Amino acid sequence: MQQIEAYKQEMQVFEAQTAEQAEAFRIKYLGTKGLLKQVMGEMKQVPNEQRKAFGQVLNEFKAFAEDIYQQLKDKTAGTEQASGNQIDLSLPGNDLPVGTRHPLNIVRNQIIQIFRRLGFAVAEGPEIEDDWHNFGAMNLPEDHPARDMQDTFYISKHPDWLLRTHTSSVQARVMENQQPPIRVICPGRVYRNETISARAHCFFHQVEGLYIDENVSFADLKQTLYFFVQELFGQHVKVRFRPSYFPFTEPSAEMDISCQICSGKGCNICKHTGWVEILGSGMVHPKVLENFGIDPNRYTGYAFGMGIERITQLKYQVNDLRLYSQNDIRFLKQFTGAL
Ligand code: 2NL
């Protein structure tokens, strides 16, 4: 009883200026490990006949403590702000780092924009293709090396399926569903079974184009592609066409542009020739047109294909293909603002 009286006096002189100090009172006296619980635990030792009286004292003690706590709480209400760990909501927030477009997407978008202005639509298609859309329709013979497992990823559970090796498969799907005039470009990822190095990867990105109508000529092909590289690299760029071979075009040509690194004087990039290859092209093979029921005597067309990695390399001097897919922020952030 005496001890309780002493505690009461201790409580009465308890000083609290802040809400934290009022809380300290609660913990010390009323908390689960507080003094009140401790004193109540002593009930067991009280002889039976005194229990009732002691219980009353305890109840009164508890009410006393709660009353003081309530007073301290009222007195210090609103002092939380003064405690110093309050956030100032009027301050500006932390900057969120803004990402950059991937260089391959920057260049792909530039290519798409140029051809859009020439009336080309954009078509997309699946990355897993069947043999017909990727090879057969494109006039690739059964024994063509591209059809070998060494060069192409086949889906082992479904031998007729493969990862497309070019986006010609998308143009095949366009020709399947649409009669001429056809004017599309097909950007997308393609796969080849290559050992990864600075110059080769097991996937890369392409833009292929196709234009089929009456009276489409090789002169249209040349002038369109010349316009394209002038828009992409500048008016000063020179072009040359070299005869080439593709199973899906006849005649075929590869196009070179004057080296953008040394302006044609000769450097490592152009192997001291002053020219760099940027795309393959040709007049659509009559067999390809026939495969889609397009009459080759009425319609002609040109087609072309380019690697986006290669063009990005020439535009931004990226000299290792692996950089495109390593996600190294030091590489990627160099394209801030290159939109
Ligand atoms: C290259 C060469 C080329 C085509 C792609 C094509 C598409 C159809 C019909 C005929 Cl639907 N040809 N595409 C034509 C010539 C060359 O790509 O070196 N690409 C990176």
Side-chain angles (χ1 to χ4, degrees):
M1 295 288 200
Q2 275 171 355
Q3 189 63 57
I4 287 174
E5 261 334 290
Y7 288 146
K8 277 182 168 177
Q9 272 170 25
E10 195 182 298
M11 287 179 191
Q12 251 169 339
V13 297
F14 192 98
E15 290 273 357
Q17 251 75 52
T18 66
E20 283 82 5
Q21 286 162 347
E23 173 65 3
F25 178 94
R26 189 193 64 76
I27 293 168
K28 185 170 177 191
Y29 297 107
L30 296 163
T32 41
K33 288 177 186 156
L35 191 100
L36 210 84
K37 281 267 153 50
Q38 202 183 305
V39 177
M40 283 181 169
E42 280 165 31
M43 195 70 160
K44 291 195 270 322
Q45 293 159 33
V46 177
N48 265 347
E49 57 277 18
Q50 286 174 29
R51 267 214 185 144
K52 198 174 167 202
F54 188 66
Q56 262 175 355
V57 171
L58 275 186
N59 279 342
E60 193 260 335
F61 180 46
K62 189 177 176 212
F64 181 85
E66 281 171 347
D67 190 44
I68 292 187
Y69 171 57
Q70 193 57 50
Q71 284 171 31
L72 293 175
K73 226 166 67 163
D74 291 348
K75 188 181 133 196
T76 58
T79 59
E80 292 94 335
Q81 282 196 350
S83 66
N85 55 12
Q86 191 70 14
I87 302 165
D88 181 351
L89 295 174
S90 69
L91 289 172
N94 295 330
D95 283 356
L96 284 178
V98 177
T100 57
R101 271 191 215 287
H102 193 279
L104 294 176
N105 285 343
I106 294 171
V107 172
R108 181 200 56 194
N109 291 348
Q110 289 171 350
I111 296 169
I112 289 174
Q113 282 310 317
I114 295 166
F115 282 106
R116 234 194 246 288
R117 283 158 53 209
L118 294 172
F120 283 80
V122 178
E124 287 184 300
E127 292 186 13
I128 299 175
E129 264 298 359
D130 53 57
D131 186 274
W132 169 252
H133 289 98
N134 193 80
F135 291 134
M138 284 301 128
N139 202 34
L140 267 96
E142 290 285 349
D143 59 354
H144 193 282
R147 288 190 161 205
D148 202 283
M149 291 234 312
Q150 301 272 280
D151 293 310
T152 299
F153 293 112
Y154 286 87
I155 311 293
S156 50
K157 285 192 177 164
H158 208 305
D160 190 47
W161 290 358
L162 47 85
L163 299 185
R164 68 183 181 194
T165 61
H166 47 197
T167 58
S168 306
S169 55
V170 182
Q171 286 144 302
R173 290 177 180 279
V174 171
M175 288 187 279
E176 228 166 35
N177 296 313
Q178 193 187 319
Q179 281 296 302
I182 290 171
R183 193 157 48 187
V184 287
I185 54 168
C186 305
R189 182 175 290 175
V190 301
Y191 299 84
R192 304 211 178 153
N193 191 2
E194 302 252 15
T195 306
I196 297 169
S197 72
R199 297 156 150 271
H201 211 297
C202 56
F203 63 79
F204 66 98
H205 300 79
Q206 260 201 323
V207 177
E208 286 210 7
L210 175 69
Y211 179 23
I212 305 172
D213 202 348
E214 292 177 2
N215 301 315
V216 174
S217 72
F218 201 87
D220 296 321
L221 179 158
K222 286 180 82 173
Q223 204 58 36
T224 304
L225 295 178
Y226 182 34
F227 174 83
F228 163 67
V229 291
Q230 281 189 310
E231 289 299 297
L232 196 64
F233 291 102
Q235 301 293 305
H236 57 277
V237 70
K238 294 192 187 72
V239 294
R240 73 175 185 187
F241 285 82
R242 284 177 290 103
S244 185
Y245 172 80
F246 302 107
F248 28 75
T249 47
E250 177 61 32
S252 306
E254 279 167 302
M255 190 173 87
D256 297 341
I257 59 168
S258 48
C259 182
Q260 300 300 295
I261 310 297
C262 63
S263 319
K265 287 187 205 68
C267 69
N268 278 340
I269 302 292
C270 61
K271 299 191 196 87
H272 300 280
T273 63
W275 296 96
V276 287
E277 182 191 321
I278 72 151
L279 57 81
S281 65
M283 300 306 291
V284 180
H285 197 290
K287 273 270 189 52
V288 175
L289 296 176
E290 275 169 8
N291 283 339
F292 296 98
I294 299 169
D295 181 359
N297 295 313
R298 179 170 172 206
Y299 294 107
T300 51
Y302 67 72
F304 55 86
M306 63 187 100
I308 304 179
E309 277 80 351
R310 175 101 188 106
I311 295 187
T312 309
Q313 175 189 24
L314 294 174
K315 260 196 99 117
Y316 297 115
Q317 280 96 65
V318 180
N319 48 29
D320 189 328
L321 267 178
R322 291 168 291 194
L323 285 165
Y324 293 126
S325 47
Q326 280 166 338
N327 253 356
D328 188 331
I329 205 97
R330 293 167 300 180
F331 170 70
L332 295 173
K333 75 177 179 189
Q334 293 178 62
F335 299 89
T336 315
L339 296 174

